[in-house]
Structure formats: C-alpha cells, structure tokens
Amino acid sequence: MTQSHLMNGDCVEVMKSIPDNSVDCIITDPPYNLGLFMHNRNTNLWKMRDNQFAYAGWDNMEYKVWKSNMNKFFLQCSRVLKDKGTLIVFMAVIKVSDIIELGQKHGFYYKTTGVWHKTNPMPRNMNIHFVNSTECWIYFIYKGTSGTFNNNGKVLHDFLESSVCPASEKKHGKHPTQKPLSILNTLITTLTNVGDVVLDPFMGSGSTCVSAALNNRRYIGIELEQSYYQIAIDRINNLKELIK
Ligand SMILES: C[S@@+](CC[C@H](N)C(=O)[O-])C[C@H]1O[C@@H](n2cnc3c(N)ncnc32)[C@H](O)[C@@H]1O
C-alpha cells in the first residue's frame, strides 16, 4: 500500500525509488525551458520572464539538454505507471510536439492537447501584442487507449478555464508558476478514483498533491528546490484551512 509522501530532489533520480507499475496517474508541470528562447529574442520580454521564472531547474537549458532530460523523465514515467494509467503534462504551446514525440517513443497513446485559459493574465505589453493567456496540457494513456474517465454522463471539453492562482492559495509562500487548485481538481476527479496514487515529479508548491489529498487520492510529490518543497510541506500540513 503506497503511502502519500513528498520528496526533495531531482525527479529522474528520486523516481527510481518508486516501484514499477505502482502509480495510477501522473499530473505534472515541468519547466517549459523558455529561458534561453526568451533571452535570444529581440524584445524586453526576457527580462520580465527572468523576474517571473527566477528558479533553478530546467528553464534555462540548451534545447538538446532539456529534451534529453525529458526523455529520462518519460522513461521513468513509463516504468512507474500502471497499464492504462494516465499522464498529463502541462507545457507551452511551442513545445507540445516535443512532448508528444517523447510520449509516443515511450509507449504512451496520445489522446489530446487541452488548453488552460487564464481569465485574468498579467496584461504585459498589452498595447503591442496579444496578451498570453493560455497554457497547454497534453493527455496520454500508457499501454492502452483509454483509462479512468469520470465524466458522469457529461460532455467534457479539452478547454479548461479559471483565474490565475488566487492569493488565498499562496498563504504558505509564492511559486512563480503555481497552478490553481480548481484546474487540478477537475483533472484529478475526472482522471482518477478515490484511493488512486497520483504522482507529480515537478510539484513546485505542491498543488497536484494538495488537490489529490483534498479529493481523497494518495499522492507522491517531488521537487528539486528546497524552498518550494517546504511550501508544499506547509500546504499539505494545513489542508484543514481549505476544507469548507
Ligand atoms: C512549472 S513549476 C511547477 C509548479 C507547480 N505546478 C505548482 O503549482 O506549484 C516546475 C517545478 O519543477 C522544479 N524542477 C525543475 N527541475 C526539476 C527536477 N529535475 N526534479 C524535480 N523538480 C524539478 C522547479 O524547481 C519548479 O518548481
């Protein structure tokens, strides 16, 4: 029986301690590795991005290094996931084809690319271009073509909409790319059952694990940066404040 827990370290190494075929669902939000891409562009947007995404990890890597690391990550995902298990990877739209290619290489069946639309993004440079308000989530099944899908008879669109992460979810510290619980609650309740094991190898402030715990799923979370790992621990230790 897998117990819920959070771990601090490099996910590719830490995942090696998770038994084969033991996870029902992976929902994760890896670094999009847009740091160098932004630096090399002839705009001032990279400065803002530096402020916003000032964390160690995989955001400033050469493309080939990032892809090689993601390849190792997918290998571990294919090992720990049960057959017909679900994998959701959040990603920037310009990297979606890389993620689909890696998923297919490691035995994942590609279902769809969903969109998360943020209703109140920062209106950066609003007078010179379209304000970025979307991120993608790529949906795969491992060794099967369909997995748990609790739609309860409803038509579900691959388009999720919410505000950016509210301040009320950042009481224990700020993470620059924290996902709102409403989006994770939708994914977790649709794609897993009570008691299932949900893994987030790039958990940041722990939003996936908090949502799993609130919805009576087990969770395993991994984070490289000690300060973000601590935020996740504090959020999990204070779940009561989220239960209405
Ligand atoms: C996009 S953020 C995830 C944010 C998360 N969804 C949340 O709601 O807080 C990606 C996280 O992956 C972490 N990270 C980067 N490289 C890692 C690695 N090799 N192993 C584990 N975590 C890593 C970063 O420190 C960052 O916190």
Side-chain angles (χ1 to χ4, degrees), residues 171-225:
K171 279 186 194 161
H172 299 284
K174 290 187 179 162
H175 187 289
T177 61
Q178 188 170 331
K179 294 282 175 290
L181 290 175
S182 63
I183 293 298
L184 292 160
N185 288 340
T186 300
L187 292 172
I188 284 178
T189 55
T190 305
L191 301 173
T192 70
N193 295 316
V194 167
D196 279 359
V197 175
V198 180
L199 167 66
D200 186 348
F202 296 95
M203 72 168 170
S205 64
S207 309
T208 306
C209 300
V210 170
S211 171
L214 290 173
N215 289 292
N216 302 312
R217 275 68 169 167
R218 288 173 284 163
Y219 57 83
I220 303 172
I222 307 168
E223 168 57 41
L224 185 64
E225 278 289 306

Side-chain angles (χ1 to χ4, degrees), residues 72-116:
K72 292 177 196 157
F73 157 76
F74 267 96
L75 179 65
Q76 289 304 316
C77 291
S78 66
R79 187 184 62 73
V80 302
L81 262 184
K82 296 177 184 172
D83 291 0
K84 297 193 172 183
T86 297
L87 169 64
I88 297 282
V89 182
F90 283 88
M91 191 45 58
V93 67
I94 61 167
K95 295 282 179 63
V96 167
S97 62
D98 288 298
I99 297 298
I100 295 173
E101 181 199 319
L102 287 170
Q104 290 179 329
K105 174 178 164 189
H106 288 280
F108 288 84
Y109 175 79
Y110 169 66
K111 295 280 270 187
T112 192
T113 299
V115 168
W116 170 38

Side-chain angles (χ1 to χ4, degrees), residues 7-25:
M7 291 179 275
N8 183 204
D10 178 340
C11 63
V12 169
E13 290 309 311
V14 174
M15 283 172 84
K16 292 177 185 165
S17 67
I18 301 174
D20 295 359
N21 308 313
S22 61
V23 169
D24 297 284
C25 178

